[in-house]
Amino acid sequence: MPHGTLVAHDVAELVGVSGTTIGQWARRGYIRSSQRDHEPRLYSVEDVAEAAIVRALLERGVPRPDVRRAVHRLRETSGAWPLSQARLATAGGRLLLHDREAGWLELRPRGWQATSPPEAADEVRLRLQPSTVE
């Protein structure tokens, strides 16, 4: 169950991007607007967490199509807020997922595929921060 009700501007301030970017991410499927999916969209605290992770992945050089593909693939098994539920890392612009049974997996065109443990993997940890965007 989602918590809170925020407009795109409020989400943007917490994540450190513009309100327009939040709306675009919702329309393109990177994040959800779980409280209301028509204009004006309304977001929950859980949606804010997802947006913060999307920003972190993009800042680390993960290509936008990979972020979107990861969201869709993870949503199939992890529910409404898949990025927050997953143990994710990046290494040189590659997106990695740690699975308890399979170990580290890398997102490739055909989906998640086993990979050797990354030496320089940087785990994605959720951090909400004040906006630098005005």
Side-chain angles (χ1 to χ4, degrees), residues 112-130:
W112 297 105
Q113 297 181 358
T115 188
S116 58
E119 292 180 20
D122 185 15
E123 283 205 52
V124 178
R125 302 200 191 279
L126 175 62
R127 288 182 188 86
L128 299 180
Q129 59 193 30

Side-chain angles (χ1 to χ4, degrees), residues 32-45:
R32 295 179 43 187
S33 52
S34 62
Q35 297 294 44
R36 184 167 65 201
D37 63 359
H38 59 279
E39 300 296 331
R41 293 177 182 272
L42 295 177
Y43 302 87
S44 69
V45 172

Side-chain angles (χ1 to χ4, degrees), residues 9-26:
H9 175 77
D10 294 334
V11 175
E13 282 189 25
L14 291 168
V15 174
V17 298
S18 71
T20 301
T21 297
I22 294 298
Q24 289 172 347
W25 286 354

Side-chain angles (χ1 to χ4, degrees), residues 50-63:
E50 292 288 292
I53 294 170
V54 168
R55 178 182 179 206
L57 294 174
L58 294 173
E59 285 180 342
R60 294 174 185 203
V62 176

